[in-house]
Amino acid sequence: MAPLWGSSWSSTWGSLSGYSPVQNGEQNTATNAAADSSHLKPSVGQILMSKRVRYTAISVAVIGLFFLAFRNYDRLPSIESLRGGSAAAAAGSKSDCPPAVVPTFEENKIDWSRYAYTQYVTNAAYLCNSVMIFETLHRLGSKADRVMMYPEKMMDPAETNPASEEAKLLAKARDQYKVKLVPVSVQRRAGGDATWAESFTKLLAFNQTQYDRVLNVDSDATILQTMDELFLMPPCPVAMPRAYWLFPDNKILSSQLMLVQPSEVEFDRIMKKMESAGRNDYDMEIVNQLYIDTAMILPHRPYDLLTGEFRGDNHQNYLGTDREEWDPVAIFNEAKFLHFSDWPVPKPWIQMSESMRNDKQPKCVTKNGQEDCSARELWNGFYTDFTHRRSEVCSTSKRARR
């Protein structure tokens, strides 16, 4: 499989056309007869039996039934939602925000400086991951700004002669990938799992009020296509996909991708919730406590695909229907954000043993009498590609620069 980072994919999205207008029926052919008998006073029975009254009554009844049946239409999954795998997004949502629909737009008429992709960094490993995210956005030609929130002790954002490896990598992100560096105080929690204890820092995205909207994505992931269109979604304080792999038992939001309208009000709510958070409450718990019933629900397809999906046998939750056949190549081609989640397989920057790879990689299947290993090839390619890009992007030696 060729390295993913050196290729580009595009997906063609169909749209459902609206209903054709209903044509009017034939005109009443009894006009002349009615005119001739206009001097006669009709009885009540004649009035009730007239075609006009009957047609009017039927029309009123149909409209009434239509209203009763569909007055909560916004809470039901549409055909398009089911085809797009967002039935999980529609179900159970009580959001006052409008539906997550991308408006038509002309790219060159948008002021992209009002929007930004954000990353948070807490240590050297995640610094490298974040720079990889920004390198991809730079290579794919994303129009929005790029903002990295990093520990203030790593480097002065205006540093011109970085000494440490961390500082050199920060300078590389700033100078080569046009990343705006924002030093912050890392938000830590005492106790709990150290892996997630610093993940509160991602919630500082709510405080980036210099932007109208920011898109924060986890860095243990690969961006496959730009997601600039998300910035133009209808207004809503927060938009996130559902954690489809837990649906329908748990209709919680996934904080792997958060579209945020930064504001002092929302940031104050976040900070207060953080102060009162329980021992095992982290970023995902906090955003769910605040926004589970009010967030705009983004379709997880194509905005939140797990690598573990390629190892599974039941894909109904991701596809959003039991009528569609799982096609790993087609799913990969349409996906825009791929998150590494493959327990017990380690994160991609941690060496995976060959025995684990052989044991956990997707199985080949038989289709139309032939062996199909496309899911296995893609899955292995995700990890190989990540390793290759990491060695290229995160190197600060001059020979590694392109």
Side-chain angles (χ1 to χ4, degrees):
M1 174 178 172
L4 308 183
W5 70 290
S7 307
S8 61
W9 288 267
S10 62
S11 55
T12 303
W13 294 86
S15 60
L16 299 177
S17 59
Y19 292 106
S20 300
V22 177
Q23 300 298 322
N24 292 328
E26 296 180 356
Q27 300 295 321
N28 192 336
T29 57
T31 303
N32 293 334
D36 292 341
S37 60
S38 60
H39 63 283
L40 298 176
K41 183 178 180 181
S43 67
V44 174
Q46 289 175 320
I47 293 175
L48 293 176
M49 291 299 293
S50 69
K51 290 184 178 179
R52 179 174 298 178
V53 172
R54 280 184 289 154
Y55 289 167
T56 301
I58 292 172
S59 299
V60 171
V62 169
I63 292 172
L65 289 173
F66 185 89
F67 174 77
L68 290 173
F70 293 98
R71 60 180 176 179
N72 290 322
Y73 73 96
D74 57 316
R75 299 183 184 178
L76 300 175
S78 64
I79 294 176
E80 185 173 6
S81 295
L82 291 172
R83 293 178 68 244
S86 59
S93 175
K94 301 176 183 177
S95 175
D96 292 330
C97 294
V101 177
V102 180
T104 56
F105 64 94
E106 295 183 42
E107 189 175 274
N108 59 353
K109 292 185 178 181
I110 303 297
D111 180 6
W112 293 106
S113 67
R114 297 162 50 200
Y115 312 113
Y117 290 86
T118 60
Q119 284 283 289
Y120 74 100
V121 171
T122 57
N123 55 45
Y126 279 89
L127 169 61
C128 175
N129 294 347
S130 292
V131 175
M132 290 172 66
I133 290 288
F134 288 129
E135 182 276 333
T136 300
L137 289 169
H138 177 75
R139 173 166 40 85
L140 295 179
S142 170
K143 303 298 182 183
D145 281 0
R146 297 151 208 159
V147 174
M148 182 190 292
M149 298 172 284
Y150 69 98
E152 52 194 354
K153 65 181 181 180
M154 281 188 176
M155 189 190 78
D156 185 299
E159 178 64 62
T160 58
N161 189 28
S164 69
E165 286 301 307
E166 292 174 350
K168 289 178 181 178
L169 195 50
L170 284 167
K172 181 177 183 178
R174 179 193 63 198
D175 300 337
Q176 292 191 36
Y177 308 135
K178 311 305 179 185
V179 176
K180 299 181 186 297
L181 302 180
V182 179
V184 298
S185 176
V186 175
Q187 305 298 301
R188 291 182 173 87
R189 286 288 309 282
D193 186 343
T195 304
W196 306 109
E198 296 179 340
S199 63
F200 282 116
T201 305
K202 81 161 61 171
L203 300 179
L204 293 178
F206 285 82
N207 197 35
Q208 303 305 305
T209 54
Q210 68 272 34
Y211 293 102
D212 291 351
R213 220 166 199 171
V214 299
L215 181 62
N216 192 92
V217 296
D218 281 1
S219 62
D220 53 342
T222 294
I223 291 181
L224 302 173
Q225 302 180 54
T226 63
M227 297 176 282
D228 291 359
E229 70 278 2
L230 289 179
F231 295 112
L232 307 179
M233 288 282 189
C236 186
V238 179
M240 286 181 279
R242 294 241 186 247
Y244 74 86
W245 54 96
L246 300 177
F247 191 84
D249 296 331
N250 292 300
K251 301 175 183 178
I252 65 175
L253 303 170
S254 168
S255 61
Q256 295 168 3
L257 183 148
M258 297 192 304
L259 183 64
V260 174
Q261 289 178 185
S263 73
E264 293 181 2
V265 171
E266 294 303 322
F267 184 62
D268 183 63
R269 294 182 68 204
I270 289 287
M271 294 302 292
K272 288 180 178 177
K273 182 60 70 173
M274 285 172 58
E275 292 170 1
S276 62
R279 179 182 177 85
N280 296 315
D281 289 343
Y282 298 103
D283 60 283
M284 190 165 178
E285 286 74 24
I286 286 178
V287 295
N288 272 277
Q289 290 167 15
L290 288 174
Y291 302 111
I292 191 168
D293 290 327
T294 59
M296 176 189 292
I297 307 302
L298 299 176
H300 62 265
R301 183 179 178 184
Y303 296 112
D304 196 7
L305 172 62
L306 302 187
T307 52
E309 190 67 33
F310 291 81
R311 293 171 51 214
D313 297 320
N314 187 341
H315 304 284
Q316 184 174 337
N317 279 7
Y318 183 77
L319 296 174
T321 175
D322 60 357
R323 302 297 181 89
E324 182 177 354
E325 182 181 359
W326 169 252
D327 183 340
V329 174
I331 293 300
F332 170 74
N333 284 336
E334 76 177 21
K336 297 197 171 191
F337 182 70
L338 179 71
H339 187 258
F340 285 92
S341 181
D342 261 309
W343 178 259
V345 175
K347 292 296 185 179
W349 59 91
I350 301 173
Q351 184 66 39
M352 184 195 326
S353 67
E354 279 305 308
S355 60
M356 175 170 282
R357 181 186 293 270
N358 291 332
D359 182 50
K360 301 301 180 183
Q361 65 183 353
K363 298 179 177 63
C364 295
V365 298
T366 301
K367 287 186 177 180
N368 301 321
Q370 295 185 342
E371 186 177 57
D372 181 0
C373 296
S374 56
R376 172 179 291 186
E377 293 170 359
L378 284 167
W379 186 86
N380 280 302
F382 301 151
Y383 285 87
T384 301
D385 165 70
F386 190 97
T387 301
H388 177 69
R389 284 189 297 116
R390 189 177 179 84
S391 65
E392 289 287 320
V393 174
C394 297
S395 173
T396 56
S397 62
K398 291 183 179 180
R399 64 181 180 180
R401 295 181 182 179
R402 295 191 297 271

PDB file of all heavy atoms in Angstrom, residues 114 204-214 261-265 267:
ATOM      1  N   ARG A 114     -10.988  34.201  10.311  1.00  0.00           N
ATOM      2  CA  ARG A 114     -11.922  34.168  11.450  1.00  0.00           C
ATOM      3  C   ARG A 114     -12.010  32.775  12.061  1.00  0.00           C
ATOM      4  O   ARG A 114     -12.624  32.599  13.116  1.00  0.00           O
ATOM      5  CB  ARG A 114     -13.319  34.601  10.987  1.00  0.00           C
ATOM      6  CG  ARG A 114     -13.406  36.037  10.477  1.00  0.00           C
ATOM      7  CD  ARG A 114     -14.672  36.246   9.655  1.00  0.00           C
ATOM      8  NE  ARG A 114     -15.859  35.772  10.361  1.00  0.00           N
ATOM      9  CZ  ARG A 114     -17.013  35.484   9.768  1.00  0.00           C
ATOM     10  NH1 ARG A 114     -17.112  35.582   8.448  1.00  0.00           N
ATOM     11  NH2 ARG A 114     -18.046  35.085  10.477  1.00  0.00           N
ATOM     12  N   LEU A 204      -9.218  24.673  26.615  1.00  0.00           N
ATOM     13  CA  LEU A 204      -8.820  26.074  26.443  1.00  0.00           C
ATOM     14  C   LEU A 204      -9.198  26.583  25.054  1.00  0.00           C
ATOM     15  O   LEU A 204      -9.121  27.783  24.792  1.00  0.00           O
ATOM     16  CB  LEU A 204      -7.315  26.227  26.669  1.00  0.00           C
ATOM     17  CG  LEU A 204      -6.819  25.984  28.107  1.00  0.00           C
ATOM     18  CD1 LEU A 204      -5.311  26.116  28.173  1.00  0.00           C
ATOM     19  CD2 LEU A 204      -7.487  26.938  29.080  1.00  0.00           C
ATOM     20  N   ALA A 205      -9.616  25.688  24.174  1.00  0.00           N
ATOM     21  CA  ALA A 205     -10.111  26.114  22.863  1.00  0.00           C
ATOM     22  C   ALA A 205     -11.306  27.045  23.016  1.00  0.00           C
ATOM     23  O   ALA A 205     -11.532  27.935  22.186  1.00  0.00           O
ATOM     24  CB  ALA A 205     -10.500  24.891  22.031  1.00  0.00           C
ATOM     25  N   PHE A 206     -12.065  26.877  24.103  1.00  0.00           N
ATOM     26  CA  PHE A 206     -13.226  27.743  24.348  1.00  0.00           C
ATOM     27  C   PHE A 206     -12.824  29.178  24.653  1.00  0.00           C
ATOM     28  O   PHE A 206     -13.659  30.076  24.633  1.00  0.00           O
ATOM     29  CB  PHE A 206     -14.052  27.193  25.517  1.00  0.00           C
ATOM     30  CG  PHE A 206     -14.870  25.984  25.183  1.00  0.00           C
ATOM     31  CD1 PHE A 206     -14.300  24.719  25.181  1.00  0.00           C
ATOM     32  CD2 PHE A 206     -16.216  26.104  24.858  1.00  0.00           C
ATOM     33  CE1 PHE A 206     -15.053  23.597  24.879  1.00  0.00           C
ATOM     34  CE2 PHE A 206     -16.976  24.985  24.548  1.00  0.00           C
ATOM     35  CZ  PHE A 206     -16.387  23.724  24.555  1.00  0.00           C
ATOM     36  N   ASN A 207     -11.544  29.394  24.947  1.00  0.00           N
ATOM     37  CA  ASN A 207     -11.065  30.726  25.308  1.00  0.00           C
ATOM     38  C   ASN A 207     -10.342  31.426  24.160  1.00  0.00           C
ATOM     39  O   ASN A 207      -9.825  32.535  24.345  1.00  0.00           O
ATOM     40  CB  ASN A 207     -10.118  30.630  26.511  1.00  0.00           C
ATOM     41  CG  ASN A 207      -9.914  31.957  27.200  1.00  0.00           C
ATOM     42  OD1 ASN A 207     -10.833  32.778  27.280  1.00  0.00           O
ATOM     43  ND2 ASN A 207      -8.709  32.197  27.701  1.00  0.00           N
ATOM     44  N   GLN A 208     -10.318  30.828  22.986  1.00  0.00           N
ATOM     45  CA  GLN A 208      -9.639  31.451  21.845  1.00  0.00           C
ATOM     46  C   GLN A 208     -10.582  32.434  21.147  1.00  0.00           C
ATOM     47  O   GLN A 208     -10.976  32.262  19.998  1.00  0.00           O
ATOM     48  CB  GLN A 208      -9.136  30.370  20.883  1.00  0.00           C
ATOM     49  CG  GLN A 208      -8.196  29.354  21.507  1.00  0.00           C
ATOM     50  CD  GLN A 208      -7.001  30.002  22.175  1.00  0.00           C
ATOM     51  OE1 GLN A 208      -6.268  30.780  21.555  1.00  0.00           O
ATOM     52  NE2 GLN A 208      -6.790  29.691  23.449  1.00  0.00           N
ATOM     53  N   THR A 209     -10.934  33.484  21.894  1.00  0.00           N
ATOM     54  CA  THR A 209     -11.979  34.413  21.447  1.00  0.00           C
ATOM     55  C   THR A 209     -11.549  35.325  20.306  1.00  0.00           C
ATOM     56  O   THR A 209     -12.353  36.126  19.824  1.00  0.00           O
ATOM     57  CB  THR A 209     -12.471  35.261  22.635  1.00  0.00           C
ATOM     58  OG1 THR A 209     -11.351  35.896  23.255  1.00  0.00           O
ATOM     59  CG2 THR A 209     -13.180  34.385  23.665  1.00  0.00           C
ATOM     60  N   GLN A 210     -10.303  35.226  19.876  1.00  0.00           N
ATOM     61  CA  GLN A 210      -9.868  35.993  18.700  1.00  0.00           C
ATOM     62  C   GLN A 210     -10.450  35.406  17.425  1.00  0.00           C
ATOM     63  O   GLN A 210     -10.342  36.014  16.359  1.00  0.00           O
ATOM     64  CB  GLN A 210      -8.344  36.060  18.622  1.00  0.00           C
ATOM     65  CG  GLN A 210      -7.639  34.738  18.330  1.00  0.00           C
ATOM     66  CD  GLN A 210      -7.313  33.938  19.583  1.00  0.00           C
ATOM     67  OE1 GLN A 210      -8.051  33.955  20.554  1.00  0.00           O
ATOM     68  NE2 GLN A 210      -6.186  33.234  19.551  1.00  0.00           N
ATOM     69  N   TYR A 211     -11.080  34.214  17.557  1.00  0.00           N
ATOM     70  CA  TYR A 211     -11.694  33.559  16.403  1.00  0.00           C
ATOM     71  C   TYR A 211     -13.198  33.408  16.609  1.00  0.00           C
ATOM     72  O   TYR A 211     -13.672  33.259  17.740  1.00  0.00           O
ATOM     73  CB  TYR A 211     -11.074  32.172  16.193  1.00  0.00           C
ATOM     74  CG  TYR A 211      -9.626  32.227  15.777  1.00  0.00           C
ATOM     75  CD1 TYR A 211      -8.608  31.976  16.699  1.00  0.00           C
ATOM     76  CD2 TYR A 211      -9.270  32.536  14.470  1.00  0.00           C
ATOM     77  CE1 TYR A 211      -7.274  32.033  16.318  1.00  0.00           C
ATOM     78  CE2 TYR A 211      -7.945  32.596  14.084  1.00  0.00           C
ATOM     79  CZ  TYR A 211      -6.951  32.354  15.015  1.00  0.00           C
ATOM     80  OH  TYR A 211      -5.639  32.416  14.628  1.00  0.00           O
ATOM     81  N   ASP A 212     -13.925  33.417  15.497  1.00  0.00           N
ATOM     82  CA  ASP A 212     -15.367  33.177  15.543  1.00  0.00           C
ATOM     83  C   ASP A 212     -15.665  31.710  15.815  1.00  0.00           C
ATOM     84  O   ASP A 212     -16.658  31.375  16.461  1.00  0.00           O
ATOM     85  CB  ASP A 212     -16.028  33.578  14.221  1.00  0.00           C
ATOM     86  CG  ASP A 212     -16.014  35.076  13.993  1.00  0.00           C
ATOM     87  OD1 ASP A 212     -15.653  35.827  14.936  1.00  0.00           O
ATOM     88  OD2 ASP A 212     -16.356  35.514  12.878  1.00  0.00           O
ATOM     89  N   ARG A 213     -14.782  30.859  15.304  1.00  0.00           N
ATOM     90  CA  ARG A 213     -14.997  29.425  15.464  1.00  0.00           C
ATOM     91  C   ARG A 213     -13.657  28.709  15.384  1.00  0.00           C
ATOM     92  O   ARG A 213     -12.785  29.077  14.573  1.00  0.00           O
ATOM     93  CB  ARG A 213     -15.922  28.896  14.367  1.00  0.00           C
ATOM     94  CG  ARG A 213     -16.933  27.882  14.850  1.00  0.00           C
ATOM     95  CD  ARG A 213     -18.016  27.653  13.829  1.00  0.00           C
ATOM     96  NE  ARG A 213     -19.174  27.040  14.460  1.00  0.00           N
ATOM     97  CZ  ARG A 213     -20.331  26.870  13.863  1.00  0.00           C
ATOM     98  NH1 ARG A 213     -20.497  27.248  12.611  1.00  0.00           N
ATOM     99  NH2 ARG A 213     -21.348  26.313  14.498  1.00  0.00           N
ATOM    100  N   VAL A 214     -13.498  27.676  16.219  1.00  0.00           N
ATOM    101  CA  VAL A 214     -12.289  26.857  16.156  1.00  0.00           C
ATOM    102  C   VAL A 214     -12.690  25.393  16.104  1.00  0.00           C
ATOM    103  O   VAL A 214     -13.728  24.997  16.634  1.00  0.00           O
ATOM    104  CB  VAL A 214     -11.359  27.103  17.363  1.00  0.00           C
ATOM    105  CG1 VAL A 214     -10.911  28.560  17.408  1.00  0.00           C
ATOM    106  CG2 VAL A 214     -12.017  26.709  18.674  1.00  0.00           C
ATOM    107  N   GLN A 261     -17.553  27.677  19.265  1.00  0.00           N
ATOM    108  CA  GLN A 261     -17.629  29.136  19.139  1.00  0.00           C
ATOM    109  C   GLN A 261     -17.078  29.730  20.434  1.00  0.00           C
ATOM    110  O   GLN A 261     -17.793  29.770  21.438  1.00  0.00           O
ATOM    111  CB  GLN A 261     -19.075  29.600  18.913  1.00  0.00           C
ATOM    112  CG  GLN A 261     -19.618  29.246  17.555  1.00  0.00           C
ATOM    113  CD  GLN A 261     -21.075  29.681  17.371  1.00  0.00           C
ATOM    114  OE1 GLN A 261     -21.680  29.371  16.355  1.00  0.00           O
ATOM    115  NE2 GLN A 261     -21.638  30.370  18.331  1.00  0.00           N
ATOM    116  N   PRO A 262     -15.803  30.140  20.448  1.00  0.00           N
ATOM    117  CA  PRO A 262     -15.202  30.627  21.692  1.00  0.00           C
ATOM    118  C   PRO A 262     -15.942  31.850  22.231  1.00  0.00           C
ATOM    119  O   PRO A 262     -16.370  32.729  21.474  1.00  0.00           O
ATOM    120  CB  PRO A 262     -13.773  31.001  21.267  1.00  0.00           C
ATOM    121  CG  PRO A 262     -13.522  30.218  20.017  1.00  0.00           C
ATOM    122  CD  PRO A 262     -14.855  30.164  19.335  1.00  0.00           C
ATOM    123  N   SER A 263     -16.114  31.873  23.546  1.00  0.00           N
ATOM    124  CA  SER A 263     -16.761  33.017  24.187  1.00  0.00           C
ATOM    125  C   SER A 263     -16.419  33.017  25.660  1.00  0.00           C
ATOM    126  O   SER A 263     -16.124  31.965  26.242  1.00  0.00           O
ATOM    127  CB  SER A 263     -18.283  32.963  24.003  1.00  0.00           C
ATOM    128  OG  SER A 263     -18.863  31.957  24.820  1.00  0.00           O
ATOM    129  N   GLU A 264     -16.457  34.194  26.271  1.00  0.00           N
ATOM    130  CA  GLU A 264     -16.177  34.300  27.700  1.00  0.00           C
ATOM    131  C   GLU A 264     -17.218  33.537  28.511  1.00  0.00           C
ATOM    132  O   GLU A 264     -16.907  32.934  29.537  1.00  0.00           O
ATOM    133  CB  GLU A 264     -16.140  35.774  28.113  1.00  0.00           C
ATOM    134  CG  GLU A 264     -14.981  36.557  27.510  1.00  0.00           C
ATOM    135  CD  GLU A 264     -14.980  38.000  27.965  1.00  0.00           C
ATOM    136  OE1 GLU A 264     -15.856  38.371  28.785  1.00  0.00           O
ATOM    137  OE2 GLU A 264     -14.105  38.764  27.508  1.00  0.00           O
ATOM    138  N   VAL A 265     -18.464  33.569  28.051  1.00  0.00           N
ATOM    139  CA  VAL A 265     -19.542  32.898  28.775  1.00  0.00           C
ATOM    140  C   VAL A 265     -19.317  31.388  28.798  1.00  0.00           C
ATOM    141  O   VAL A 265     -19.382  30.743  29.859  1.00  0.00           O
ATOM    142  CB  VAL A 265     -20.913  33.230  28.146  1.00  0.00           C
ATOM    143  CG1 VAL A 265     -22.006  32.359  28.770  1.00  0.00           C
ATOM    144  CG2 VAL A 265     -21.239  34.702  28.325  1.00  0.00           C
ATOM    145  N   PHE A 267     -16.539  29.744  28.179  1.00  0.00           N
ATOM    146  CA  PHE A 267     -15.306  29.387  28.868  1.00  0.00           C
ATOM    147  C   PHE A 267     -15.498  29.432  30.383  1.00  0.00           C
ATOM    148  O   PHE A 267     -14.953  28.586  31.113  1.00  0.00           O
ATOM    149  CB  PHE A 267     -14.179  30.329  28.451  1.00  0.00           C
ATOM    150  CG  PHE A 267     -12.845  29.963  29.039  1.00  0.00           C
ATOM    151  CD1 PHE A 267     -12.249  28.747  28.743  1.00  0.00           C
ATOM    152  CD2 PHE A 267     -12.183  30.829  29.892  1.00  0.00           C
ATOM    153  CE1 PHE A 267     -11.019  28.398  29.291  1.00  0.00           C
ATOM    154  CE2 PHE A 267     -10.953  30.489  30.441  1.00  0.00           C
ATOM    155  CZ  PHE A 267     -10.371  29.277  30.136  1.00  0.00           C
TER     156      PHE A 267
END
